[in-house]
Amino acid sequence: MSVRFSAAAWERSYRRTVRLAFSRVPFYRDQWVRAGRALDEPLPTPTGELADQLHRLCPFAEPYDPGAEPSLWIGAAGGLRAALAVALGAAGALGAARGRVPVLEVRRAVLDRRTLGPGGPPYGVLLYPDATVVHERRRRELNAPALKLATDAGRAVVVGERAAVASFLPELAGVEVNVLERVTLAGAADGALVHDPHLGYYAARARCGRVHLLWRRFHARPEGGALAVSALGRRRPVLVAVVPDGGGELGRCPGHGTPILGVAS
């Protein structure tokens, strides 16, 4: 990880993403209009203000069509896979993939995804206990495929908030379960995978004990006591200078030499 990280290359990738945002994406072009001038940096946007902005966050040439495609907030399989690789360690992640250890993710809606990307481990969704369903029997039916993945393999990685994951543990009795708690940046001191509803998984606690930004996928810069996080290479939606909930600090891991995140004091 440390050998391949280059701060200069990371910054160049960020600048390319910023140029794309200002030149092709309505949400960021409008920032120039409101400022009455060309901006060098995108204005930081709290994540909560992005919920209804998909039609403005996609490039002019690739507009979002809610009638023809699912929500772009679902998140790519590669994001979770990258976060697992950091949290489990490269050897652990590789072993999980080769051993076909399934990954079960607690979500609020069923997702038609069978693996975490090409060659990735089997994947299944467990519905939140309070997710809206027709009746409880239907909830059990929807959860059954994911639970079967775990029982057939005899082990599983389960990702979700602590209370939600705990509600499924009785159904996973007899299965070797590796729980990775999903948290916001504010809870990063206690959790394993850092998640934002719009950025997706963007950081994870490595075995060194520090919370590592997924720097191949994301850039971060300090912004008034918080962090402005940008998704590198993402084109639909384009996300630059998104401020996740909870203040944060940017640092460098002394062991790996790569960007780490801390909770602002």
Side-chain angles (χ1 to χ4, degrees):
M1 184 157 46
S2 59
V3 173
R4 296 162 62 178
F5 176 72
S6 163
W10 193 50
E11 290 299 325
R12 287 195 297 270
S13 182
Y14 168 66
R15 297 314 316 175
R16 286 194 297 270
T17 302
V18 169
R19 287 195 296 271
L20 166 69
F22 281 141
S23 65
R24 303 181 187 177
V25 182
F27 187 89
Y28 302 102
R29 292 284 292 182
D30 287 351
Q31 292 184 356
W32 281 12
V33 173
R34 290 194 296 272
R37 60 184 177 87
L39 302 174
D40 293 326
E41 294 284 356
L43 300 177
T45 303
T47 186
E49 296 181 11
L50 298 178
D52 300 319
Q53 297 296 324
L54 275 178
H55 62 292
R56 298 177 61 230
L57 287 166
C58 291
F60 297 109
E62 302 174 82
Y64 174 60
D65 183 355
E69 58 187 320
S71 172
L72 302 181
W73 298 133
I74 288 174
L80 176 54
R81 192 172 178 180
L84 292 175
V86 171
L88 297 174
L94 182 60
R98 285 181 174 171
R100 309 303 292 167
V101 178
V103 176
L104 312 185
E105 184 183 20
V106 181
R107 299 181 67 110
R108 295 200 174 276
V110 174
L111 178 58
D112 187 17
R113 177 180 291 161
R114 305 303 170 85
T115 66
L116 282 183
Y123 171 86
V125 169
L126 296 172
L127 287 174
Y128 270 93
D130 62 352
T132 302
V133 292
V134 176
H135 45 65
E136 188 58 32
R137 185 176 71 248
R138 182 56 176 158
R139 183 195 311 280
R140 292 195 297 269
E141 291 172 351
L142 293 171
N143 286 339
L147 293 171
K148 187 175 187 301
L149 286 175
T151 54
D152 287 352
R155 50 188 179 150
V157 173
V158 183
V159 176
E161 284 76 16
R162 182 180 302 173
V165 170
S167 71
F168 290 106
L169 293 182
E171 297 180 78
L172 291 166
V175 175
E176 181 185 337
V177 176
N178 185 352
V179 175
L180 295 180
E181 186 179 358
R182 179 174 60 217
V183 295
T184 64
L185 181 57
D190 301 314
L193 307 182
V194 182
H195 182 269
D196 175 85
H198 301 115
L199 293 166
Y201 293 96
Y202 65 97
R205 180 174 299 282
R207 293 193 172 187
C208 67
R210 298 176 177 85
V211 177
H212 282 247
L213 181 73
L214 304 182
W215 59 267
R216 293 178 178 86
R217 293 173 169 268
F218 295 94
H219 181 276
R221 62 182 175 88
E223 185 61 53
L227 287 176
V229 180
S230 300
L232 302 175
R234 187 180 297 182
R235 296 294 178 264
R236 300 181 73 253
V238 175
L239 299 174
V240 294
V242 176
V243 180
D245 290 337
E249 299 173 339
L250 182 66
R252 187 74 65 89
C253 179
H256 294 100
T258 55
I260 56 174
L261 306 181
V263 179
S265 56

